[in-house]
Amino acid sequence: MNSPNQSDIVALQRGLKNRAPARNGLRLYTADFDSISLGGFYKGRSAFLVLSGPSLNDIDLSKLDRRGIVTMGVNNSWTVHRPTLWTCVDDPGRFIDTGWKDPGVLKFVPVCHWGRKLRIQTNNGTMRDSAYRVAQMPSVLFFRRSNHFDHERFLTGDTVPWGNDPKSTDSLGIKGKRSVMLVALRLLHHLGFRTVYLLGCDFRMASDHKYAFDETREAAAIRHNNVLYDSLSRRFEALLPHFGKHRFRVVNCSPGSGLGVFERMPYEDAIASASAECSKPINTQGWYTPVDANREVAR
């Protein structure tokens, strides 16, 4: 009878023999710059993309803790809900350091931020540089950004598009307008998710309607964000056929959202759908009984 170790070797050899040819495509990097691919890692599953709109405060976010549910946060939305996954594009010092230090959150960060310092807030509210850099944080993977948005190639390139630089236009003629939301959707598709439910996707900002957390925004920043939302709406409209071709479904579950491109679904229905596979009653009896010794455990 083969030893357990020998069984592992046999299974590995069989798996390597049946492995699909190496694929080009998006690569991720560890803090030591080891290249890895997580393409299809969450094959066929759904995820909630938790953005930062104040409508997050109108729903019961504790339901995102159910079995079977994966969430991705962006920027400081991780102060409102602790996500499974998280990403950013701006300077790391803009995002609360306790999130960076949390090993339970898998973080996807542009490579250019590898050596940048975090910031911490003192008791009197002032900010100063942390002694720590992004590369020293746990559970961080790095990606390469693309500075050009092409609505016909968005999901297929080997980099992560986040919009255009302020001096160039994209495939729709839009100049500039970069956004972490584009990065999050591209990463979620790469990871294998095929349905993404949007939360906190308010797509409108005003002096009394900014974020789900406390933060000051001047009038110019509010105008900038509203112009960005308009450009993103145009991009998402153009992306719909591309998403359909790649069987990538985006559903807006944000109450009162100004983004009308994607189909809508009540939050409760999305929770039920996303958690259905893991929602059956659990019976712990019988699981430790011996497995049939003749059963082939590696296929």
Side-chain angles (χ1 to χ4, degrees), residues 37-70:
S37 174
L38 290 181
F41 195 71
Y42 293 90
K43 186 175 182 179
R45 297 310 190 261
S46 61
F48 286 82
L49 176 53
V50 183
L51 303 168
S52 298
S55 64
L56 290 179
N57 297 320
D58 298 330
I59 59 178
D60 182 4
L61 295 175
S62 68
K63 293 182 179 180
L64 296 173
D65 297 328
R66 291 185 184 179
R67 291 181 186 272
I69 290 181
V70 176

Side-chain angles (χ1 to χ4, degrees), residues 59-272:
I59 59 178
D60 182 4
L61 295 175
S62 68
K63 293 182 179 180
L64 296 173
D65 297 328
R66 291 185 184 179
R67 291 181 186 272
I69 290 181
V70 176
T71 60
M72 173 175 270
V74 302
N75 300 346
N76 277 327
S77 74
W78 60 8
T79 66
V80 181
H81 167 76
R82 181 181 183 238
T84 319
L85 315 169
W86 178 88
T87 192
C88 71
V89 289
D90 291 336
D91 190 291
R94 295 171 64 100
F95 311 120
I96 291 176
D97 60 309
T98 51
W100 286 108
K101 296 169 182 175
D102 188 343
V105 178
L106 178 57
K107 297 166 275 286
F108 298 87
V109 184
V111 177
C112 67
H113 294 336
W114 183 92
R116 291 189 176 170
K117 285 187 175 182
L118 310 182
R119 285 198 301 171
I120 59 175
Q121 192 172 49
T122 62
N123 291 335
N124 64 9
T126 60
M127 309 295 293
R128 66 177 177 83
D129 282 345
S130 168
Y132 295 104
R133 300 178 187 272
V134 172
Q136 295 173 284
M137 294 298 98
S139 310
V140 177
L141 293 174
F142 297 90
F143 63 86
R144 289 193 304 127
R145 291 178 294 187
S146 167
N147 215 24
H148 180 71
F149 172 84
D150 184 339
H151 66 284
E152 295 181 333
R153 301 175 58 189
F154 181 76
L155 297 176
T156 59
D158 60 1
T159 55
V160 180
W162 66 311
N164 279 50
D165 67 69
K167 296 182 179 180
S168 67
T169 56
D170 66 10
S171 60
L172 301 174
I174 298 171
K175 181 178 290 187
K177 308 298 183 295
R178 298 183 291 205
S179 171
V180 69
M181 186 176 176
L182 294 172
V183 168
L185 289 171
R186 175 67 180 96
L187 287 171
L188 288 169
H189 178 269
H190 171 70
L191 291 169
F193 294 104
R194 289 301 174 261
T195 300
V196 175
Y197 301 107
L198 303 178
L199 297 178
C201 180
D202 292 28
F203 262 50
R204 58 187 178 87
M205 184 174 284
S207 59
D208 59 348
H209 188 95
K210 296 189 287 291
Y211 299 109
F213 43 82
D214 291 334
E215 182 58 276
T216 301
R217 292 273 84 180
E218 301 298 334
I222 292 174
R223 286 195 300 271
H224 169 81
N225 278 284
N226 285 322
V227 171
L228 174 62
Y229 298 148
D230 179 68
S231 296
L232 287 175
S233 294
R234 291 171 57 194
R235 284 172 172 164
F236 290 140
E237 182 73 36
L239 279 170
L240 279 178
H242 181 64
F243 284 177
K245 177 181 176 181
H246 292 274
R247 299 182 181 178
F248 186 54
R249 179 187 179 207
V250 180
V251 182
N252 194 350
C253 303
S254 310
S257 174
L259 177 61
V261 172
F262 300 119
E263 63 178 290
R264 305 281 186 127
M265 180 184 291
Y267 173 63
E268 298 287 345
D269 292 350
I271 289 289

